[in-house]
Amino acid sequence: MMGVARYWREIPVRYNLIGKKCGVCGKVYFPPRNICPTCRRKSIGKMEDYKLSGKGIVETYTIIHTPPPEFDGKAPYAVAIIKMEEGCHLTAQIVDCPLDEIHVGMKVEACLRRIQEDGKRGAIYYGYKFKKAED
Amino acid sequence: MAAIVGYGAYVPKYRIKAEEIARMWGKEPSSITSGLNVFEKSVPSIDEDTATISVEAARRAVKSSKIDAKEIGAIYVGSESHPYAVKPTATIVAEAIEATPDMTAADYEFACKAGTAGMQNCIALVETGMIKYGMAIGADVAQAAPGDALEYAAAAGGAAFIIGKEGIARINATVSFTTDTPDFWRREGQPYPGHGERFTGEPAYFRHVMGAAKMLMEKMGTSPSDYDYAVFHQPNGKFPLRVAKKLGFEKKQVEDGLLCPIIGNTYSGSTMLGLAAVLDVAKPGQRILAVSYGSGAGSDAFDITVEDAIEGYPRQGIRKMLEEKVYVDYATYMKFRREFK
Ligand SMILES: [Zn+2]
């Protein structure tokens, strides 16, 4: 269970890929960080919200056959490490693509999908997943 | 009156063929496809619902319109399959396009015409100067009981329209025709709708669609030949063609907006997707009649003239998007519907 409060706090990150950009060295971080590990103290107060373009490429991926309980009934599905245009990496599910067509180097773009739900009575959690880029 | 500033459409990538559903229930496929004029329908993926479809359509509309989403003052999502009974889909859309918090939002429900009801509200709010831009969405992941006649057409998809003072198409007028007609319903807590069988035709769909269309043409002093395109709600592929003929429209006026034969009935998305498909191909100066239908029952009719600005608008190419599809069998369709865990 994710918990409604945590989900709510992370909505900008989960829906719109809002990360942080270091105002000193220009490096983009996702998920957002409050301090740049390179610039350390110099970056304090200079980390700005930065919206990722949503475009990236598959760097590596795996097919999940035995999912955790919250994803019961959804296997098999693909989870990839995606290198974003901005240089940062994130882990996300690849959707709307036959599993045997997913490949390293595939251009992908973010979309919003259902991630999980707290049972039949609980909240529904939405967030980013990736699909094959349209152009 | 107000204008359409931009639009965005989204239909899930998966399809199931009518013959696959017919095979499941031992029906003759050709009698289904020729009876309904529906050959295949869209199927939402296991992680898609009315909120995710609405977000996809809304994001495309904002991107194509090149407006700042912060200037959208109202978002209305019309659907009969909102993911929550209480908790507005419109808030999820608003957050996903970063239009919050200086705005109003609400979910609408009027069977298949809740999206066009949202359009009328946006028009009124723009006209009165309360908002600069309004967004109306019609989207559904239609549910039909397995084996029910509705199952061959009940599909998923949606379209978002941004309304403002100036845009790519002028809305010359809109009227509605509304009565209490119990042709189709779903009770609270029930997963699937009930319907009045044959009662869904003449006293329901045809009376309301024709009533609204005639009222509008009378008001505008127009006749069917004044329109280059006509879009009617598409519960199947037959009704919109039949209602067009009864009103005196030719088949060629209806064809560009007729998507039901290849995607099924997207309920609240139906008329708005049809209108979006017409705007994809329409030229400046052309005139469009669009009439939605919602069971219960009512129709909203719109008289629209395409403006010069459409030439510079990045049109989405809905029919091209629809070519990108993946067929699923009946078992996968059930899995996607989260029918078993
Ligand atoms: Zn830095």
Side-chain angles (χ1 to χ4, degrees):
Chain A
M1 292 247 286
M2 181 173 338
V4 172
R6 185 183 141 201
Y7 168 74
W8 173 74
R9 271 196 310 276
E10 294 174 352
I11 278 178
V13 177
R14 293 174 179 279
Y15 287 15
N16 288 311
L17 295 163
I18 309 289
K20 289 280 187 192
K21 186 175 184 173
C22 172
V24 180
C25 70
K27 202 168 175 205
V28 174
Y29 294 95
F30 190 91
R33 281 172 173 264
N34 290 322
I35 291 179
C36 172
T38 311
C39 307
R40 296 170 188 265
R41 286 181 56 192
K42 277 188 285 180
S43 70
I44 294 172
K46 293 192 171 122
M47 301 297 285
E48 292 150 14
D49 282 352
Y50 189 85
K51 185 179 179 175
L52 303 188
S53 70
K55 292 186 161 64
I57 60 163
V58 172
E59 206 154 80
T60 181
Y61 68 97
T62 184
I63 310 294
I64 307 289
H65 291 279
T66 311
E70 59 267 34
F71 299 109
D72 258 0
K74 298 189 172 73
Y77 57 86
V79 172
I81 295 176
I82 296 156
K83 183 173 188 188
M84 303 301 291
E85 267 185 352
E86 293 82 1
C88 52
H89 291 81
L90 54 81
T91 304
Q93 200 177 320
I94 305 289
V95 297
D96 285 6
C97 183
L99 295 178
D100 57 1
E101 284 179 24
I102 298 170
H103 58 273
V104 172
M106 184 167 93
K107 285 186 182 171
V108 291
E109 63 188 12
C111 57
L112 189 82
R113 294 293 173 95
R114 286 168 83 113
I115 305 290
Q116 61 183 97
E117 56 191 295
D118 284 341
K120 284 283 156 215
R121 294 170 61 98
I124 304 165
Y125 301 129
Y126 296 90
Y128 57 81
K129 293 186 182 179
F130 283 74
K131 59 183 178 182
K132 211 193 288 181
E134 277 181 18
D135 40 52
Chain B
M1 278 183 86
I4 295 167
V5 176
Y7 62 96
Y10 178 72
V11 174
K13 198 173 179 177
Y14 297 97
R15 301 283 187 282
I16 187 165
K17 290 187 173 166
E19 63 185 49
E20 169 69 3
I21 300 172
R23 183 185 67 84
M24 187 68 202
W25 302 109
K27 303 273 190 204
E28 177 54 44
S30 61
S31 73
I32 300 291
T33 51
S34 67
L36 295 173
N37 190 24
V38 177
F39 297 88
E40 55 194 56
K41 67 168 189 172
S42 65
V43 175
S45 182
I46 197 164
D47 57 1
E48 289 185 292
D49 63 17
T50 291
T52 65
I53 289 169
S54 298
V55 167
E56 192 76 39
R59 283 178 171 170
R60 286 166 196 249
V62 169
K63 192 179 168 197
S64 304
S65 307
K66 300 188 184 80
I67 63 157
D68 180 356
K70 289 271 180 236
E71 293 188 318
I72 295 173
I75 298 181
Y76 298 108
V77 181
S79 180
E80 51 182 274
S81 54
H82 289 290
Y84 289 97
V86 178
K87 164 81 180 93
T89 307
T91 59
I92 300 168
V93 174
E95 205 68 63
I97 60 170
E98 299 176 277
T100 54
D102 182 5
M103 56 167 296
T104 183
D107 284 358
Y108 280 171
E109 186 278 314
F110 194 143
C112 299
K113 84 156 191 87
T116 56
M119 276 176 73
Q120 291 180 324
N121 266 269
C122 288
I123 293 166
L125 293 178
V126 166
E127 285 288 300
T128 55
M130 269 183 73
I131 59 170
K132 182 172 182 185
Y133 298 121
M135 178 183 274
I137 298 171
D140 259 303
V141 284
Q143 303 288 354
D148 191 293
L150 292 172
E151 194 181 18
Y152 295 96
F161 280 77
I162 299 174
I163 307 294
K165 277 253 179 258
E166 303 294 332
I168 58 172
R170 176 73 45 199
I171 299 160
N172 305 313
T174 175
V175 300
S176 299
F177 187 101
T178 309
T179 73
D180 180 352
T181 306
D183 58 326
F184 173 99
W185 56 83
R186 184 169 61 81
R187 296 278 300 273
E188 187 67 50
Q190 293 298 310
Y192 304 121
H195 50 90
E197 303 286 345
R198 299 210 164 270
F199 191 56
T200 57
E202 285 306 326
Y205 179 87
F206 290 96
R207 179 177 175 218
H208 293 79
V209 170
M210 292 177 71
K214 283 178 178 168
M215 263 168 64
L216 185 65
M217 287 192 281
E218 193 170 317
K219 180 178 175 172
M220 302 305 286
T222 51
S223 62
S225 60
D226 292 316
Y227 298 94
D228 299 279
Y229 305 96
V231 181
F232 301 106
H233 174 58
Q234 302 161 23
N236 51 56
K238 277 273 170 78
F239 278 19
L241 289 172
R242 201 181 303 159
V243 84
K245 196 172 176 191
K246 282 178 168 228
L247 282 163
F249 287 87
E250 290 177 48
K251 199 177 171 194
K252 67 171 198 285
Q253 289 165 287
V254 185
E255 278 170 341
D256 283 293
L258 187 64
L259 300 175
C260 188
I262 54 169
I263 61 169
N265 178 10
T266 52
Y267 284 50
S268 302
S270 176
T271 306
M272 292 169 78
L273 277 167
L275 177 57
V278 164
L279 290 171
D280 265 355
V281 296
K283 296 181 183 68
Q286 288 191 319
R287 202 160 175 178
I288 305 163
L289 176 77
V291 188
S292 64
Y293 174 71
S295 290
S299 280
D300 303 324
F302 299 83
D303 183 309
I304 297 165
T305 303
V306 181
E307 304 256 41
D308 291 342
I310 201 149
E311 301 276 23
Y313 184 83
R315 296 193 243 189
Q316 194 191 326
I318 292 157
R319 287 192 182 264
K320 191 163 165 276
M321 172 184 76
L322 295 177
E323 286 170 15
E324 293 281 318
K325 57 189 173 184
V326 175
Y327 287 105
V328 295
D329 59 14
Y330 197 88
T332 307
Y333 163 65
M334 283 286 130
K335 176 183 170 182
F336 281 2
R337 282 175 49 160
R338 302 185 281 267
E339 291 282 338
F340 34 70
K341 302 247 167 194

